[in-house]
Amino acid sequence: VQLQASGGGLVQPGGSLRLSCAASGRIFSMNSMGWNRQAPGNQRELVASITSGGSTKYADSVKGRFTISRDNTKNTVYLQMNSLKPEDTAVYYCNAGIVPWGTPAWYDYWGQGTQVTVSS
């Protein structure tokens, strides 16, 4: 099982980006999926998460600006980021709770990270 994140880049303050993270491999089921970020010198923090049923949670710093969604038919989670600020600059990592085929439990898988830079 692998998670592949994409969509990062350089954007001006006030701009938008959309991150995608696709899970592939022998997946039996997927539980919660999420996006986390880590800026230089800071600990990794949860940005947003979404359950298999579609319930969402957001960090206070991104509420009203970021939207997490998922497409269960594509095993993909998205993060729409609007009104970006310089303090949103970080490496963004996706993660997902996945039950692989042939195993009785779920495991937490992580993507490789994608850089988001907000600067003029």
Side-chain angles (χ1 to χ4, degrees), residues 73-110:
T73 65
K74 298 180 179 179
N75 291 336
T76 300
V77 62
Y78 305 97
L79 187 67
Q80 178 66 43
M81 304 185 293
N82 299 328
S83 303
L84 282 161
K85 304 175 180 180
E87 51 263 43
D88 294 317
T89 296
V91 178
Y92 283 70
Y93 299 89
C94 59
N95 75 299
I98 295 174
V99 180
W101 276 103
T103 63
W106 65 270
Y107 299 88
D108 194 18
Y109 290 88
W110 288 79

Side-chain angles (χ1 to χ4, degrees), residues 42-95:
N42 291 352
Q43 290 187 335
R44 191 173 297 188
E45 62 174 352
L46 176 67
V47 175
S49 64
I50 184 168
T51 67
S52 57
S55 296
T56 59
K57 289 184 179 179
Y58 296 93
D60 288 342
S61 58
V62 307
K63 282 181 181 177
R65 300 188 297 122
F66 291 10
T67 302
I68 189 170
S69 61
R70 63 191 285 170
D71 184 338
N72 292 328
T73 65
K74 298 180 179 179
N75 291 336
T76 300
V77 62
Y78 305 97
L79 187 67
Q80 178 66 43
M81 304 185 293
N82 299 328
S83 303
L84 282 161
K85 304 175 180 180
E87 51 263 43
D88 294 317
T89 296
V91 178
Y92 283 70
Y93 299 89
C94 59
N95 75 299

Side-chain angles (χ1 to χ4, degrees), residues 27-46:
I27 298 170
F28 177 73
S29 67
M30 298 183 67
N31 300 326
S32 291
M33 306 180 77
W35 288 95
N36 307 261
R37 67 186 181 187
Q38 187 168 19
N42 291 352
Q43 290 187 335
R44 191 173 297 188
E45 62 174 352
L46 176 67

